[in-house]
Amino acid sequence: MRCFPRLLILARRSLLAAGLLLSTASHAQWATIDWTIAETLLAIDAPVSGIAQQPAYHDWVGEPRIPEHVTDIGLRTQPNFELLAQSPPEQTLLSPMFIGLIPRLEKIAPVGTFALYSPGADTWQEMQSLTRQLGELTERNAEANALIEDTQQLMAELRRQRSDSPPLLMVQFMDARHVRVFGENSLYNAVLEQLELPNAWDQPTNAWGFALAGIEALARYPDATLVVVDPLPAGVEEQLAGSGLWEHLPSVQSGRLLRLPPVWSFGALPSAQRFARELTSALNAYSAEPPSAHSPYAQ
């Protein structure tokens, strides 16, 4: 009979250990300093413990929103290594642009690198490949396949819904006189191809799919509709309101100007979905009731 309390204690300890193992297995194990990887992990409901630079993520990426329990691990280019080491993830995930951080990150946890926007690659296929790779890594294969299928279905649905459009110039402002114009190899252009919409930009782009240009270069496309993707740098909206160069652009003078909320231009399928929805909605609204010929940045 004296053995019974001891057996009871051992049984309780076994149950406690099993509970701790279950808790550990279900605990978020993946961290990333790359927003493209972050949005994909969140979209496939993978367990995430840390994402870098979260306020800026919400400014530039928008969705999916980061859950409150996910730790902000510092700047993308300079993560908080001490904070990351306090609760090391299963793996820290990043894109090739952050490979300089690998030696220090590897001292905390294994590092996985995932590429997107590779020179000469098909951007649309690469986004799907990235989704599958992250699904396999995090054991979210079914969710990854569902994200791919949902994206394909959304594009097909929006193709049927969209209005006809003149060629589009898709830009993000760097300052009041310079923009990124998106063309081949960009997420925005990949979405245009899926929606069967024309891209007016016919000049070379870099590996990320954009060219840096002065806003005067946009005047070379007088028949294009200008699509401005937020956010605008601080003070740019006020400067544009008083800019004669901006006001004399053909698209601005004729009111062929659309402004979209933030969509991560270097994103994957979640950003592609968001851009497709926002662009289609804006084009349909413009077709139903074209705006008056003035700049939305005018006072």
Side-chain angles (χ1 to χ4, degrees):
M1 295 297 294
R2 292 180 179 178
C3 294
F4 181 76
R6 188 173 300 173
L7 290 173
L8 183 60
I9 292 172
L10 289 173
R12 286 176 176 172
R13 287 177 178 175
S14 297
L15 287 173
L16 178 59
L20 289 173
L21 287 173
L22 181 62
S23 175
T24 301
S26 63
H27 183 67
Q29 292 295 312
W30 310 96
T32 182
I33 60 174
D34 183 272
W35 291 342
T36 304
I37 293 173
E39 68 168 6
T40 306
L41 291 174
L42 295 173
I44 63 174
D45 198 29
V48 181
S49 59
I51 294 174
Q53 216 166 333
Q54 293 186 20
Y57 169 97
H58 289 130
D59 288 341
W60 285 91
V61 185
E63 297 175 355
R65 305 295 292 181
I66 299 174
E68 291 185 1
H69 70 268
V70 177
T71 301
D72 190 324
I73 54 176
L75 302 177
R76 291 182 296 158
T77 55
Q78 191 176 356
N80 188 325
F81 297 100
E82 291 77 14
L83 183 61
L84 198 58
Q86 288 177 12
S87 182
E90 182 78 15
Q91 214 173 9
T92 303
L93 310 179
L94 63 157
S95 60
M97 70 178 298
F98 299 112
I99 58 174
L101 297 171
I102 289 179
R104 293 193 65 183
L105 289 171
E106 281 184 331
K107 294 178 180 179
I108 299 170
V111 175
T113 305
F114 296 85
L116 191 58
Y117 302 101
S118 304
D122 184 304
T123 302
W124 191 252
Q125 294 302 321
E126 266 203 313
M127 287 191 283
Q128 296 179 65
S129 177
L130 173 68
T131 304
R132 292 190 183 96
Q133 290 171 12
L134 291 175
E136 182 175 358
L137 176 70
T138 62
E139 298 184 352
R140 293 295 190 276
N141 298 79
E143 291 83 351
N145 289 329
L147 175 59
I148 293 170
E149 292 173 6
D150 289 347
T151 304
Q152 293 170 340
Q153 292 174 5
L154 175 66
M155 297 301 163
E157 179 182 348
L158 293 179
R159 277 198 300 272
R160 294 189 294 267
Q161 293 179 5
R162 66 156 177 78
S163 303
D164 291 334
S165 171
L168 304 174
L169 276 174
M170 302 169 293
V171 307
Q172 281 188 315
F173 276 90
M174 303 301 292
D175 55 44
R177 295 183 61 87
H178 300 90
V179 291
R180 288 172 174 167
V181 192
F182 293 88
E184 289 293 329
N185 210 48
S186 69
L187 176 138
Y188 297 162
N189 188 71
V191 171
L192 257 59
E193 291 176 343
Q194 291 299 308
L195 298 180
E196 299 177 357
L197 290 168
N199 188 346
W201 188 252
D202 53 5
Q203 300 300 307
T205 59
N206 61 17
W208 295 97
F210 70 86
L212 186 62
I215 60 173
E216 67 276 2
L218 306 179
R220 298 200 296 264
Y221 304 88
D223 298 325
T225 293
L226 188 58
V227 179
V228 178
V229 184
D230 282 346
L232 270 64
V236 165
E237 187 163 355
E238 293 77 13
Q239 293 176 61
L240 290 178
S243 169
L245 180 60
W246 170 255
E247 292 293 339
H248 283 87
L249 289 178
S251 57
V252 176
Q253 287 187 324
S254 62
R256 284 180 284 103
L257 178 60
L258 306 177
R259 186 172 179 181
L260 303 186
V263 177
W264 185 227
S265 56
F266 312 119
L269 293 183
S271 286
Q273 286 193 12
R274 181 170 169 81
F275 184 68
R277 289 193 300 266
E278 296 292 349
L279 179 62
T280 302
S281 176
L283 287 171
N284 289 344
Y286 179 93
S287 178
E289 188 176 352
S292 58
H294 73 279
S295 168
Y297 304 108
Q299 298 292 339

